[in-house]
């Protein structure tokens, strides 16, 4: 039967049209689109009309540092997450299902555990007198406790921990979709395992890596909780700065302008991601 | 033969070792926090000098914790119900509907999932201040439903896409009205998706910190706000006790999910 | 004049610029097993959907006992249907699936129980009543779908390529089931398939579809032995087409000259042709014999290859003019040592050869 007949099948009898979207659209337009647009408006009207908030944000060295830090942290987190996630996803894609379900269980447990709970655990683990420093000192690896918290190291560990499931799970899907035959064929063609990895496996999984990596990068850019708790004052990230501008300084104009810059960057990367994988695939990849 | 599990030799050993290491890394904070909550050291020394239940006693002695938990449960339940209901209707339209701009609308409805929460948090905070909804239960539920909606739509839409429309047509030929066919045949067939949608939207609200920090008022605090406040003042082991209970809740949720999925599948 | 049971009148269905069904008119008597046969995209499924009410025709009408069905929504047409894919309700047991149409009709529980038992007995799946569809094989699922479609005694049963997802052996088994059930219930069946063998086995009558029109309607024998057009001849069974020059026609039989110069008379003319007009002669591979008989015409061929196909042999041959000829004599009619490449004569009854326009 043709695609066309299939499509017309239900629409004639059931008004399976637009109506069902109305409640969702009302909710999103009224309580998402309008508030965000109102915020944008505030960024060019407060304290007075004009672009001075943006000029201040982009012209000032302190703010530039925050932007730089944000991109640095997001980049480092993304790279580390990809490097750690790939081998795990690779194994998960091919290991016996009984074993895989244990690993999946651990991943889900970590993912579903309350965000603050996980961050709290890292705060305790990473502190000067925390388990990690004590263990390392007891083992004789170091003499002085390492500064693991309130700096870039702490943020990276905490963020990679949170982002790993978001990278591993979609990547397993990508790797499972690769036909093992292609790699057997590569071996018969004379490719060494390293060549087969570099020329076949890696290129075939690249779309998944790019999509997942971009998602992790976007999520990291706007992350608030973990950097606020594990990061230091000297390497503040954008989301924390926005929250501070609004909550402590009550500077709505500057805060909204910073929020809008974050929004534009995020949405641009999101659009790139959609082009890479398509909205349909995205939504299937939870 | 890099995708043949049985023929990878030493590479398999190395990669399995690495996987075990990562699994350990993922498990570490969760296990650690539970052990810590039973430790007797107020200064979170580990391994603890002794074992105790006093942090749990302290936790239950403070009505603010229970209050916050109940508030969170109430808001998350309402959010889950609303998000699933709205998401169900929207999913049918997105999957079955024939109208221009369907993909764009799908993208719009999923945007709250990708937009940094802090942006939405200050936007809705300002908006609700004006409407007088700041710090109210209804304000919380609306804001959380916006954030939860993508998590409700995605599993339902995925399930609906995997459901053969011919089965619904078969029910209609059998004499069921289109509405009856949907209620009696289609909805039960995609129940795993609906169930996942409920869990995900519940968690989206239950774990939500950022909007909650802005919206909370002294009289209305959710559990994450309470934990956040405590974290900022000190790393008291009472938080470990509260966290352990949350881990227990997650485990319970996972077990229920696994059991239900097994039951629904057969 | 008696009123036809089911009547399709000048049905037309267009999707935008594409017309899937041009002009289909057909009367179906009660109790008939009628098959819509045709290649994919020929409009047979679209016609079926118009009867089921899944698609509104652009023009034309569908009448059941003289009353138009078009204004009746699908769920009130009281029609049974078995789909191409397995459409059992996955969360309901076999018995609950069969009971579903009765439940939505609010029939009393005792009647539902009895009917479900009867239907499962009809498709011989009594012992599977409490299973879920997922635990059934494809063939069993389609039998349950059949039971479900018949549970409410619909006057018409529509079947949309119900066996296409099954393997050959299973298909033949269920074809026999369907024939038996048609005999036992007397239900009118409209069956869609693109498989000519299936159509020939099952149907009382076949409507052969081509490009949104019915090319020929008739029994399987009619279509095979008396094809109205070369499309029918080509679609049903196997056929050889040889270029021929028309010399003369009288009483519906024609005299022609083949490309190798041989003149043959007594072939059946499908249409009227002028003297010297280029035509094509259709001969079924099975119509060739290896022995001369009084009425037979002869054809000189060069045998290229012989293959053994069980009950028949298949000979790949060539005429002197270089046209390929497919010949399938019974295995008994020819010794295997004849298989060596050679030139020889083969014979056919001119009455079993048809002349078509070129």
């Amino acid at each position: 039967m043709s695609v066309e007949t299939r499509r017309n099948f239900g629409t004639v009898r059931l008004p399976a049209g637009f109506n069902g979207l109305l409640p969702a659209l009302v909710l999103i337009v009224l309580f998402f689109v309008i508030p965000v647009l109102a915020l944008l408006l505030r960024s060019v009207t407060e304290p007075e009309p004009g672009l001075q908030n943006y000029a201040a944000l982009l012209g000032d060295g302190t703010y530039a540092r925050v932007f730089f830090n944000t991109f640095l942290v997001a980049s480092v987190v993304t790279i580390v997450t990809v490097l750690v996630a790939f081998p795990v996803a690779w194994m998960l894609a091919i290991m016996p299902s009984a074993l895989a379900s244990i690993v999946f269980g651990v991943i889900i447990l970590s993912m579903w555990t309350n965000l603050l709970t996980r961050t709290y655990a890292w705060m305790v683990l990473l502190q000067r007198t925390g388990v990690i420093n004590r263990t390392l000192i007891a083992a004789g690896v170091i003499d002085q406790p390492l500064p693991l918290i309130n700096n870039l190291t702490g943020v990276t560990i905490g963020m990679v921990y949170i982002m790993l499931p978001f990278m591993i799970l979609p990547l397993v899907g990508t790797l499972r979709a690769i036909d093992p035959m292609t790699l057997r064929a590569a071996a018969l063609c004379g490719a060494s395992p390293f060549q087969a990895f570099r020329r076949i496996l890696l290129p075939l999984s690249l779309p998944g890596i790019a999509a997942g990596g971009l998602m992790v990068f976007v999520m990291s850019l706007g992350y608030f909780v973990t950097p606020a708790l594990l990061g230091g004052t000297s390497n503040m990230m954008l989301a924390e700065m926005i929250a501070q501008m609004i909550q402590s300084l009550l500077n709505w104009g500057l805060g909204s302008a910073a929020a809008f810059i974050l929004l534009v960057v995020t949405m641009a990367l999101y659009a790139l991601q959609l082009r890479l994988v398509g909205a349909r695939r995205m939504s299937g990849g939870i | 033969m890099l995708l043949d599990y049985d023929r990878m030799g030493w590479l398999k050993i190395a990669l399995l070792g690495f996987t075990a290491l990562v699994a350990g890394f993922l498990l570490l904070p969760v296990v650690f926090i539970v052990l810590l909550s039973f430790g007797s050291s107020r200064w979170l020394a580990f391994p603890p000098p002794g074992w105790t239940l006093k942090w749990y006693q302290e936790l239950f002695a403070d009505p603010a914790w229970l209050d916050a938990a109940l508030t969170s449960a109430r808001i998350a339940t309402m959010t889950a119900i609303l998000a699933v209901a709205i998401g169900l209707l929207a999913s049918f339209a997105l999957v079955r509907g024939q109208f221009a701009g369907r993909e764009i609308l799908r993208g719009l409805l999923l945007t709250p999932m990708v937009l940094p929460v802090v942006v939405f948090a200050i936007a809705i905070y300002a908006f609700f201040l004006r409407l007088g909804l700041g710090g109210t239960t209804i304000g919380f539920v609306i804001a959380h439903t916006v954030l939860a909606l993508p998590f409700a739509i995605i599993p339902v839409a995925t399930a609906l896409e995997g459901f053969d429309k011919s089965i619904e047509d078969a029910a209609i030929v059998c004499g069921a009205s289109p509405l009856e066919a949907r209620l009696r045949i289609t909805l039960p067939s995609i129940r795993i998706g609906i169930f996942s949608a409920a869990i995900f939207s519940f968690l989206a609200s239950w774990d939500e910190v950022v909007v909650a920090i802005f919206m909370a008022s002294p009289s209305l605090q959710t559990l994450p706000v309470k934990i956040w406040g405590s974290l900022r003042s000190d790393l008291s082991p009472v938080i470990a006790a509260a966290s352990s209970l949350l881990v227990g809740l997650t485990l319970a949720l996972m077990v229920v999910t696994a059991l239900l999925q097994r039951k629904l599948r057969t | 004049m008696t009123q036809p049971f089911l009547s399709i009148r000048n049905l037309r269905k267009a999707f935008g610029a594409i017309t899937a069904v041009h002009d289909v008119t057909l009367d179906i008597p009660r109790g008939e097993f009628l098959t819509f046969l045709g290649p994919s995209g020929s409009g047979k499924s679209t016609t079926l959907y118009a009867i089921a009410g899944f698609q509104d025709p652009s023009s034309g009408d569908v009448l059941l006992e003289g009353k138009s069905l078009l204004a009746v929504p699908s769920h009130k047409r009281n029609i049974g249907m078995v789909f191409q894919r397995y459409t059992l309700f996955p969360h309901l047991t076999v018995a609950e699936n069969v009971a579903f149409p009765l439940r939505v009709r609010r029939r009393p529980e005792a009647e539902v129980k009895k009917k479900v038992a009867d239907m499962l007995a009809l498709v011989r799946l009594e012992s599977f009543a409490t299973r879920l569809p997922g635990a059934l094989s494809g063939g069993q699922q389609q039998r349950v779908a059949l039971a479900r479609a018949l549970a409410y005694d619909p006057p018409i049963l529509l079947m949309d390529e119900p066996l296409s997802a099954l393997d050959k052996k299973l298909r033949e088994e269920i074809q026999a089931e369907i024939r038996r059930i048609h005999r036992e219930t007397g239900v009118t069946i409209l069956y869609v398939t693109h498989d000519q063998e299936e159509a020939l086995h099952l149907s009382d009558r076949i409507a052969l579809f081509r490009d949104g029109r019915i090319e020929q309607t008739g029994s399987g024998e009619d279509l095979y032995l008396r094809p109205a057009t070369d499309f029918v001849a080509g679609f049903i069974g196997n056929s050889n087409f040889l270029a021929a020059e028309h010399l003369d026609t009288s009483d519906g039989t024609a005299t022609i000259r083949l490309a190798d110069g041989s003149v043959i008379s007594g072939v059946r003319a499908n249409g009227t042709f002028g003297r010297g007009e280029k035509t094509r002669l259709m001969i079924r591979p099975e119509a060739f014999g290896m022995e001369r008989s009084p009425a037979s015409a002869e054809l000189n061929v060069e045998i290229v290859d012989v293959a053994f196909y069980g009950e028949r042999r298949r000979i790949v041959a060539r005429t002197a003019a270089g046209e390929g000829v497919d010949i399938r004599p019974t295995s008994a009619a020819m010794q295997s040592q004849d298989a060596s490449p050679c030139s020889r004569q083969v014979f056919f009854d001119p009455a079993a050869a048809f002349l078509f326009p070129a």
Side-chain angles (χ1 to χ4, degrees), chain A residues 16-25 280 283, chain B residues 83-99 102 106 109-110 149-161 182 186-187 190 193-194 197:
Chain A
F18 193 74
N19 298 349
L21 271 180
L22 284 179
L25 280 180
R280 221 161 242 286
S283 53
Chain B
V84 169
I86 297 175
L88 201 57
L89 288 171
S91 299
F92 267 98
L94 287 175
V95 174
R96 300 270 184 85
Q98 293 295 311
F99 44 84
R102 202 168 52 134
R106 179 190 283 255
L109 295 186
L110 298 186
L149 192 60
F151 296 98
I153 289 179
I154 289 171
V156 174
T158 308
L160 207 51
E161 268 163 11
R182 277 197 184 176
T186 311
L187 288 192
I190 59 167
I194 296 174

Side-chain angles (χ1 to χ4, degrees), chain B residues 1-259:
Chain B
M1 291 179 281
L2 300 177
L3 290 178
D4 291 298
Y5 184 74
D6 295 327
R7 312 195 57 88
M8 287 174 66
W10 60 269
L11 187 60
K12 180 174 92 177
I13 315 254
L15 287 172
L16 275 183
F18 186 76
T19 303
L21 220 60
V22 173
F25 172 67
L26 288 173
L27 209 51
L28 172 68
V30 180
V31 173
F32 175 70
I33 212 76
V34 175
L35 291 177
L36 203 62
S37 72
F38 295 105
S40 60
S41 159
R42 170 159 295 275
W43 314 113
L44 303 167
F46 197 91
W51 303 98
T52 175
L53 286 174
K54 68 177 168 191
W55 312 122
Y56 288 91
Q57 284 162 356
E58 244 181 73
L59 178 72
F60 287 116
D62 182 355
W65 281 102
L66 189 64
D67 247 22
L70 288 178
T71 304
S72 271
R74 199 172 63 233
I75 291 171
T77 306
M78 286 192 273
T79 299
I81 292 170
L82 256 180
V84 169
I86 297 175
L88 201 57
L89 288 171
S91 299
F92 267 98
L94 287 175
V95 174
R96 300 270 184 85
Q98 293 295 311
F99 44 84
R102 202 168 52 134
E103 287 303 306
I104 293 171
L105 288 174
R106 179 190 283 255
L108 175 69
L109 295 186
L110 298 186
T111 310
M113 192 171 71
V114 270
L115 187 80
V117 195
V118 75
V119 177
F120 173 65
I122 58 172
I124 198 78
Y125 170 56
F127 192 65
F128 279 174
L129 275 186
R130 248 169 243 191
L131 293 183
L133 285 173
T136 63
T137 303
I138 185 148
F140 260 107
V141 171
I142 290 174
H144 280 181
T145 304
V146 168
L147 289 176
L149 192 60
F151 296 98
I153 289 179
I154 289 171
V156 174
T158 308
L160 207 51
E161 268 163 11
F163 172 75
D164 188 347
K165 173 85 163 53
S166 298
I167 295 176
E168 195 176 296
D169 292 331
I172 292 173
V173 185
C174 280
S177 72
L179 181 68
E180 205 177 357
R182 277 197 184 176
L183 291 180
R184 293 181 65 163
I185 302 301
T186 311
L187 288 192
S189 301
I190 59 167
R191 64 208 155 149
I192 292 181
I194 296 174
F195 175 69
S196 308
I199 295 249
F200 289 148
S201 8
F202 182 91
L203 281 179
S205 165
W206 174 259
D207 278 351
E208 203 288 319
V209 195
V210 187
V211 172
I213 291 171
F214 280 91
M215 294 248 301
S217 67
S219 60
L220 192 73
Q221 270 198 346
T222 62
L223 194 55
V225 176
K226 173 77 181 142
I227 300 178
W228 175 265
S230 313
L231 275 184
R232 291 236 126 173
S233 50
D234 70 277
L235 293 181
S236 149
V238 177
I239 306 175
S243 296
S244 300
L245 292 179
L246 288 177
V247 171
L249 187 79
T250 307
L251 273 173
L253 216 52
M254 281 174 69
V255 170
V256 170
T257 307
L259 287 180

